[in-house]
Amino acid sequence: AGRKDGKIRMRRYVTATEAPETVQEALKRPSQRSTEKIMGIVNPIIENIRTKGDAALLEYTHKFEKATSVTTPVLKAPFPDSLMQLPPETIEAIDVSYENIRRFHAAQKEEKPLLVETMPGVVCSRFARAIERVGLYVPGGTAVLPSTALMLGVPAMVAGCKKIVIASPPRADGSLTPEIVYVAHKVGAESIVLAGGAQAVAAMAYGTESVSKVDKILGPGNQFVTAAKMIVSNDTSAGVSIDMPAGPSEVLVVADKTANPAFVASDLLSQAEHGVDSQVICIAVDLNEDQLAAIENELDKQANALPRVDIVRGAIEHSITLVTKDIDEAMALSNAYAPEHLILQIEGAEDVVSMVQNAGSVFIGSWTPESVGDYSAGVNHSLPTYGYAKQYSGVNLASYVKHITSSNLTKEGLRNVGPAVMQMAKVEELEAHRRAVSLRLAAMDEEK
Ligand code: NAD
């Protein structure tokens, strides 16, 4: 499909007439910038934070955020009201979103420990504990992202994390986005770190004079943030874990002839406006030329009316429409792609959910635009990208929880399981292991 007419249009492939390799190639994510180069920038930043602490953190905030008026890198709770002055309609929107996210994540709580008697007298148990200290990265840059603060902060609060640290780059005048301060207040954050990028990640991983060290770092961010998360989580001396690898946002819309072309176009565009590296895919199930043209015309018309039309143009450059013969083929392609967001604008959409194997979050039917999940429905918007939906879950309550197991044996229990343990220890030639059981069995015999 040509774009010589200047229209904003996705390349179109009809799977019945294309080689499978061509379709696979078209479904590839746009390649990301060389990680080696990024590592070369990020490693020295991390090292500087480790060795020079707050002084280095401030230096980077002055350099990257141009916020030279910032002289203390951390704002501790309670946060002053003057820093969260917002119009009532914004407060209302944040409060509604907060409550829905809280309800959905509270329902994910495990009420009781798991308890199983595997043999008479051998009781195994598993119980959950919230990770004590979490660091939440809320991207700054140009956008205001209170939704990300909600998506990361509310489950941390619901899980019962004792210390919630939020890091976000300040604006050039040194101030924090009031929406983020308001969310930090609502979720009971201990502090806000006024820093961004690799330096903010390193400060939370190792701690500085004023930044609290955390046990896990969660949150999206640009390539510097992502690289820093990978590096600190690989450093055993930091003792910190991360949520998941992050890449540019993406959506896959499956549409059949019952789909409203204007709705389909608006969903594709709501991801395309995220960034030039975003990718959007439309799988058209058995649509004819007129129906395809209707979607394409809507896309062009709506895109040109958007304030971020230039970003959209960039994203659409590497976005495609695939025309398939039926829903089975459409879902097979979608599962192979493993989209971050999957939108089903098809007849009987609810019944097709059983065919979804790989996706971050699914939006079912024509009245469920993906933006409801980005903000206010209750589901989380921190989701696996770049095909990682094949093995990762999005952020959820379990992201803030770990499990501890316990065993509790009676004398009878040890008699029952002891012989197996001793034989296993013998096979592995671990004599102390074997004796830990045999000594006890002998003691039982003596008691008699
Ligand atoms: P950011 O907060 O991720 O990064 C800003 C920081 O980048 C700065 O503080 C600075 O320290 C660092 N930086 C910039 N240029 C640098 C350089 N040359 N060398 C070293 N460090 C440098 O904000 P952003 O850049 O606006 O990116 C936000 C990202 O988060 C986007 O990629 C967006 O798609 C993503 N995002 C994803 C989700 C999601 O849920 N998937 C949500 C929101 C945002």
Side-chain angles (χ1 to χ4, degrees):
R3 272 160 289 176
K4 293 197 184 72
D5 53 7
K7 263 190 153 183
I8 298 179
R9 186 189 301 162
M10 294 152 56
R11 274 173 292 137
R12 196 204 286 177
Y13 297 85
V14 179
T15 58
T17 55
E18 295 286 355
E21 306 82 66
T22 312
V23 174
Q24 285 315 315
E25 188 61 31
L27 275 174
K28 276 208 175 130
R29 267 92 176 169
S31 64
Q32 294 189 298
R33 258 166 282 182
S34 142
T35 44
E36 237 167 79
K37 202 173 146 205
I38 300 296
M39 293 293 179
I41 296 169
V42 168
N43 269 314
I45 295 178
I46 294 176
E47 197 45 39
N48 269 334
I49 297 294
R50 283 189 76 161
T51 52
K52 304 197 190 91
D54 282 350
L57 193 56
L58 280 172
E59 221 172 89
Y60 286 123
T61 300
H62 297 167
K63 180 180 168 189
F64 289 119
E65 270 61 58
K66 315 262 179 297
T68 46
S69 62
V70 174
T71 50
T72 45
V74 176
L75 181 69
K76 292 253 181 217
F79 311 115
D81 280 342
S82 60
L83 296 185
M84 36 180 144
Q85 291 302 310
L86 291 167
E89 58 273 23
T90 302
I91 292 187
E92 166 81 11
I94 290 177
D95 289 353
V96 167
S97 308
Y98 168 95
E99 184 52 21
N100 287 351
I101 299 164
R102 192 198 62 73
R103 289 179 70 167
F104 185 59
H105 288 79
Q108 296 169 28
K109 238 181 167 153
E110 293 163 43
E111 291 307 333
K112 281 188 301 202
L114 178 77
L115 212 81
V116 176
E117 190 165 15
T118 55
M119 271 179 144
V122 179
V123 174
C124 297
S125 161
R126 191 186 77 157
F127 47 94
R129 290 283 184 271
I131 296 171
E132 281 191 305
R133 307 170 297 181
V134 291
L136 314 178
Y137 187 80
V138 178
T142 46
V144 182
L145 295 167
S147 62
T148 300
L150 281 169
M151 294 297 174
L152 299 172
V154 173
M157 176 196 74
V158 171
C161 298
K162 288 205 184 86
K163 191 179 275 188
I164 301 174
V165 178
I166 293 179
S168 196
R171 300 182 287 203
D173 66 3
S175 67
L176 279 162
T177 314
E179 288 87 350
I180 290 175
V181 182
Y182 179 57
V183 173
H185 158 73
K186 279 191 77 102
V187 303
E190 174 240 20
S191 57
I192 304 176
V193 180
L194 288 85
Q199 58 275 18
V201 172
M204 294 193 288
Y206 298 100
T208 68
E209 299 93 315
S210 60
V211 178
S212 300
K213 189 231 177 307
V214 301
D215 304 308
K216 183 169 184 177
I217 297 174
L218 302 98
N222 63 17
Q223 52 198 336
F224 304 106
V225 172
T226 302
K229 281 168 66 184
M230 309 270 258
I231 294 169
V232 299
S233 64
N234 276 322
D235 177 3
T236 49
S237 78
V240 74
S241 68
I242 60 170
D243 44 0
M244 64 189 138
S249 212
E250 56 203 34
V251 68
L252 189 151
V253 181
V254 182
D256 66 7
K257 42 176 84 65
T258 67
N260 179 324
F263 294 2
V264 174
S266 69
D267 285 339
L268 292 166
L269 289 170
S270 61
Q271 280 307 302
E273 76 173 353
H274 267 304
V276 291
D277 49 3
S278 295
Q279 189 174 45
V280 306
I281 291 172
C282 178
I283 300 192
V285 183
D286 192 27
L287 295 195
N288 64 31
E289 184 56 40
D290 285 351
Q291 292 159 333
L292 289 166
I295 294 176
E296 285 171 358
N297 289 337
E298 271 294 337
L299 187 96
D300 179 58
K301 188 180 86 187
Q302 292 185 27
N304 278 296
L306 292 173
R308 295 168 75 113
V309 58
D310 290 333
I311 291 177
V312 167
R313 209 180 282 278
I316 296 296
E317 275 293 311
H318 41 74
S319 295
I320 59 166
T321 299
L322 288 176
V323 187
T324 64
K325 61 175 188 317
D326 57 22
I327 190 68
D328 290 347
E329 188 191 359
M331 294 313 294
L333 286 166
S334 174
N335 285 328
Y337 182 78
E340 178 189 17
H341 305 98
L342 170 62
I343 303 184
L344 301 175
Q345 292 204 34
I346 47 179
E347 203 172 13
E350 266 177 56
D351 299 330
V352 172
V353 176
S354 62
M355 295 168 76
V356 178
Q357 170 63 32
N358 302 317
S361 197
V362 187
F363 299 85
I364 304 165
S366 49
W367 304 111
T368 318
E370 188 247 294
S371 29
V372 299
D374 279 342
Y375 296 119
S376 313
V379 295
N380 211 288
H381 81 192
S382 261
L383 300 167
T385 53
Y386 227 71
Y388 280 112
K390 286 183 182 159
Q391 53 277 95
Y392 280 91
S393 313
V395 166
N396 64 92
L397 199 74
S399 313
Y400 298 82
V401 169
K402 70 220 168 55
H403 288 98
I404 301 172
T405 58
S406 68
S407 324
N408 188 354
L409 275 66
T410 59
K411 277 185 189 164
E412 183 203 7
L414 190 61
R415 273 214 188 89
N416 287 336
V417 79
V421 175
M422 288 192 292
Q423 183 57 26
M424 293 297 288
K426 198 173 157 199
V427 170
E428 297 194 352
E429 295 179 19
L430 294 172
E431 182 56 16
H433 281 65
R434 198 190 65 79
R435 282 191 192 178
V437 176
S438 63
L439 278 175
R440 284 179 170 83
L441 294 182
M444 282 179 215
D445 289 341
E446 258 167 50
E447 274 176 23
K448 279 197 244 161

